[in-house]
Amino acid sequence: MSAVTEAAAPRAKDKSQTRTYYWIVVPMVVLFAIFHTFPVLTGIFYSFTNYAGFGDYKMVGFANYINLFRDSRVLSAYGFSFLFAIVATILTNALSLVIALALNAKIKFRNFFRGVFFIPYVLAMLVIGYVFKFIFGTSLPKLLSGIPLFADNILTNQTWAWTAIVILAVWQSCAFAIILYLAGLQTIPEELYEAASLDGASVWQQFRSITFPMIWAYFTINVVLSVKGFLQVFDPIVALTNGGPGTSTESVTMLIQRGGLTGGEFAYQTANAVVFFIVITVLSLLQFRGMASKDSDF
Amino acid sequence: MSATTANTPAAAPAQTKKHRPGLHRINWWATAFIAVASLTVLIPLYLAVVVALKTPDQLLGGSGFEWPTEVRWANFSEAWTAADYPTTLANTGIITVLTVIFTILTSSIVSWALARNMHRPFFKGAFFYFLSAMFIPFPIIMLPLVKQTAAFGLDNKWGMIILYTIFGISMNSFIYTAYVRSIPLELEEAARVDGASTWRVFWKVIFPLLAPMNATVGILTCVWAWNDYIMPLVVLTDPSDRTLVLAQSIFQGQYNIDHTVSFASYLMAMAPLLLVYIFAQRWVISGVTRGSIK
């Protein structure tokens, strides 16, 4: 008798426990479906219509998708976004790694400098971007009046305005990347370097055969995150050029936002967004695979 | 992480002093390099400060970097009204504070429930469902989301709080679950034996133990909500809900930008988070680091 109640009680309790767990998770799943998954699905639906953002619409099949590939403005937005993402990723990771290495050396005032390099992380890109706009538009033309590129305000230069956006974006992104690399460097045991220097390994050899392999995981994460983030670039463009001159610095995100919300191209730009999603996903997966296979070489 | 930093400069010389004194000398080349490199961070901030202090006349014809000969504090009072600082600061403050509170409260308990039930298909599925959303860039959902928030009457700051809290679960469940697994189950079982309900177990036993992760998630969420531009730009429709960052763009539309006033406004927009960072620097950096390494 007592044995029966003893066995039944915990089971009943287990059941109510499990029910509580469901009560905790299910509402979040439902909310997430409503506010995240549902917009994704409606976006895919609209991409097959000619909806302008208001009024009636009808299904148009793949017409939006076919037109995307013929639209020179769309193609140039992809061109800009990729060029920007590649250059900004390389610069961010190269500069962050160098600064993290120097911060990890036995330098004076290390905590102070580490704190300084992280400042850009807490600043709004748009707001500090306006300060950079002043630097490029007012300060540099006076300070570098001997160099025509800067003297004429680089932001109004059709060919080179994108480099100013790269500088601003890299300036901010380095803050987080430096901290990540620094965390990676501090996981490397000191003894490895001591052993290597006893064996007469040069600084460069130590970096190539100890440091870099040991922080490979951090490097992978940083690069994949950088590419994904930079491809979606928006804020620094708004701050510096607003897509100009002409549409030479218009990114995909900017095109989707402008064309879709104010340009009467709602359905067309949702199709663009679906393509953009596929491009980013495929690219992220390829990067992870590529970098994972490189990993096994070490 | 803090352990390693404390270790290197202080403890290391004591250990190795006997046989290898040269190895732990200050590296002055690296120090000089870092000092110069840090100027790239400080120069734009210096410019923001000196321009905001000048009179418009001093700015004329100069590069902006000159030290102000005469300080004009009126820039700040003019910026106060021009960008409607009290309203926009309150909006950003409300959005950020409530988002951080709701995010910590919901993400922590949901992640805990997920982590403790990974053997059940539903919870495992939910975890990967949240996680997979990290791969969906915001531009994809942007246009339909604008329609939807407007239809729901959520195109205001309350809608922003809801969206940030829900979207945050993707990354936060990832950050929290790894940490929850490191908390021994025996702690919960002991509380349960004493008759505590699942709710009580979480809030009395687990939630306090999650403090480091709560701090990490709080910092990341705070910086995101405070500085975000694109989501308030597309979601908010009523100008009275404008955030601090959104308000800074009004100076750009002006025919002739008064840089001294606009820079004062930029400084006031950046100041709150910057001040918090300056006073809690180590705590912020270690919090962010904890979130990014597993």
Side-chain angles (χ1 to χ4, degrees):
Chain A
M1 170 78 196
S2 70
V4 173
T5 39
E6 256 168 44
R11 210 176 301 145
K13 219 176 162 196
D14 264 7
K15 223 171 173 185
S16 85
Q17 233 178 67
T18 313
R19 205 177 304 134
T20 317
Y21 283 131
Y22 277 102
W23 272 112
I24 293 167
V25 175
V26 169
M28 194 48 125
V29 171
V30 171
L31 283 171
F32 200 80
I34 293 172
F35 286 98
H36 197 275
T37 312
F38 188 66
V40 174
L41 298 178
T42 46
I44 294 171
F45 169 76
Y46 278 124
S47 73
F48 294 105
T49 71
N50 64 354
Y51 188 48
F54 47 84
D56 292 334
Y57 60 90
K58 60 178 198 294
M59 305 302 287
V60 295
F62 282 91
N64 288 327
Y65 290 92
I66 294 162
N67 289 333
L68 278 176
F69 290 95
R70 297 195 197 127
D71 188 337
S72 64
R73 192 176 174 187
V74 171
L75 296 178
S76 84
Y78 275 88
F80 167 79
S81 298
F82 269 94
L83 175 70
F84 172 85
I86 292 167
V87 176
T89 300
I90 293 171
L91 285 178
T92 301
N93 286 283
L95 293 173
S96 308
L97 195 49
V98 169
I99 290 170
L101 281 169
L103 277 174
N104 198 43
K106 283 163 189 66
I107 61 165
K108 206 127 180 85
F109 313 118
R110 177 203 264 170
N111 284 332
F112 168 77
F113 284 125
R114 194 182 61 158
V116 169
F117 282 109
F118 198 63
I119 290 175
Y121 179 76
V122 300
L123 304 178
M125 177 70 102
L126 189 80
V127 182
I128 197 69
Y130 288 140
V131 176
F132 271 75
K133 188 183 188 182
F134 182 90
I135 295 177
F136 288 120
T138 309
S139 305
L140 290 185
K142 301 237 168 57
L143 296 172
L144 301 173
S145 54
I147 307 170
L149 179 62
F150 292 105
D152 300 338
N153 186 356
I154 191 171
L155 297 177
T156 59
N157 186 312
Q158 187 98 25
T159 325
W160 295 108
W162 67 277
T163 56
I165 301 169
V166 169
I167 291 172
L168 170 60
V170 169
W171 183 84
Q172 201 194 36
S173 308
C174 277
F176 192 78
I178 289 169
I179 293 300
L180 207 61
Y181 279 131
L182 199 54
L185 289 173
Q186 288 175 343
T187 60
I188 306 176
E190 189 95 353
E191 293 77 40
L192 281 181
Y193 293 107
E194 288 177 12
S197 63
L198 281 179
D199 289 345
S202 71
V203 174
W204 172 243
Q205 279 171 327
Q206 290 182 21
F207 176 77
R208 259 193 47 191
S209 32
I210 301 175
T211 314
F212 204 61
M214 292 290 282
I215 58 164
W216 180 253
Y218 293 86
F219 183 72
T220 313
I221 291 172
N222 253 341
V223 168
V224 174
L225 287 181
S226 301
V227 171
K228 186 172 160 268
F230 285 139
L231 272 177
Q232 300 174 51
V233 56
F234 185 73
D235 300 15
I237 306 178
V238 174
L240 291 182
T241 64
N242 220 357
T247 55
S248 60
T249 56
E250 198 171 56
S251 70
V252 179
T253 304
M254 191 168 225
L255 186 59
I256 293 172
Q257 188 258 334
R258 283 184 172 175
L261 292 179
T262 54
E265 299 178 332
F266 190 91
Y268 183 58
Q269 293 301 344
T270 53
N272 188 9
V274 172
V275 172
F276 194 39
F277 166 55
I278 294 169
V279 167
I280 287 184
T281 310
V282 169
L283 208 70
S284 301
L285 291 177
L286 284 179
Q287 275 179 300
F288 269 121
R289 273 190 62 182
M291 290 179 135
S293 66
K294 184 99 193 285
D295 201 11
S296 55
D297 291 350
F298 283 105
Chain B
M1 180 179 147
S2 58
T4 20
T5 14
N7 229 340
T8 338
Q15 288 168 2
T16 42
K17 216 174 199 168
K18 274 174 260 167
H19 28 272
R20 331 192 58 209
L23 206 69
H24 292 281
R25 235 181 283 147
I26 295 285
N27 185 338
W28 288 106
W29 285 111
T31 307
F33 167 75
I34 280 296
V36 173
S38 70
L39 289 179
T40 56
V41 173
L42 296 173
I43 284 174
L45 295 174
Y46 162 82
L47 180 76
V49 173
V50 291
V51 171
L53 293 176
K54 286 177 189 173
T55 62
D57 294 348
Q58 290 178 67
L59 207 56
L60 278 179
S63 67
F65 284 100
E66 300 83 1
W67 190 251
T69 47
E70 177 196 344
V71 173
R72 184 171 185 268
W73 295 110
N75 290 336
F76 289 90
S77 57
E78 277 171 34
W80 183 277
T81 46
D84 199 1
Y85 194 69
T87 312
T88 55
L89 179 70
N91 287 339
T92 297
I94 290 169
I95 291 174
T96 306
V97 170
L98 291 183
T99 298
V100 168
I101 293 174
F102 290 149
T103 299
I104 290 175
L105 294 182
T106 57
S107 288
S108 62
I109 192 166
V110 169
S111 308
W112 171 69
L114 290 175
R116 289 293 186 237
N117 293 282
M118 279 299 182
H119 54 282
R120 292 191 166 92
F122 170 79
F123 293 92
K124 196 169 188 164
F127 176 66
F128 284 108
Y129 173 54
F130 292 146
L131 210 61
S132 65
M134 273 207 284
F135 289 95
I136 300 182
F138 182 69
I140 313 313
I141 63 167
M142 176 165 63
L143 301 179
L145 188 68
V146 171
K147 291 248 136 219
Q148 198 176 313
T149 47
F152 288 2
L154 289 174
D155 46 353
N156 48 40
K157 50 177 173 283
W158 313 114
M160 295 300 304
I161 296 166
I162 293 172
L163 291 179
Y164 284 133
T165 306
I166 293 171
F167 291 172
I169 188 73
S170 282
M171 197 177 57
N172 299 339
S173 60
F174 185 59
I175 294 175
Y176 273 119
T177 46
Y179 193 79
V180 169
R181 281 194 210 112
S182 70
I183 299 174
L185 238 137
E186 288 75 32
L187 281 174
E188 291 169 35
E189 278 159 3
R192 286 220 167 89
V193 168
D194 294 344
S197 69
T198 306
W199 286 101
R200 269 188 73 86
V201 168
F202 179 76
W203 296 115
K204 295 285 168 194
V205 180
I206 303 297
F207 190 73
L209 290 173
L210 289 176
M213 285 300 123
N214 292 336
T216 296
V217 168
I219 295 163
L220 293 173
T221 308
C222 174
V223 172
W224 177 35
W226 188 281
N227 289 333
D228 191 24
Y229 172 61
I230 192 164
M231 209 139 95
L233 175 74
V234 297
V235 169
L236 297 175
T237 48
D238 189 344
S240 68
D241 279 327
R242 232 173 17 182
T243 63
L244 207 46
V245 171
L246 273 185
Q248 303 312 311
S249 57
I250 60 152
F251 297 103
Q252 300 297 315
Q254 288 168 1
Y255 177 65
N256 214 340
I257 303 178
D258 193 348
H259 285 295
T260 54
V261 175
S262 63
F263 271 54
S265 179
Y266 303 156
L267 272 190
M268 293 197 298
M270 296 190 285
L273 224 50
L274 198 56
L275 289 176
V276 170
Y277 172 68
I278 288 169
F279 287 111
Q281 188 220 106
R282 270 166 187 242
W283 186 73
V284 172
I285 293 182
S286 65
V288 170
T289 313
R290 214 166 27 229
S292 52
I293 53 171
K294 288 280 133 52

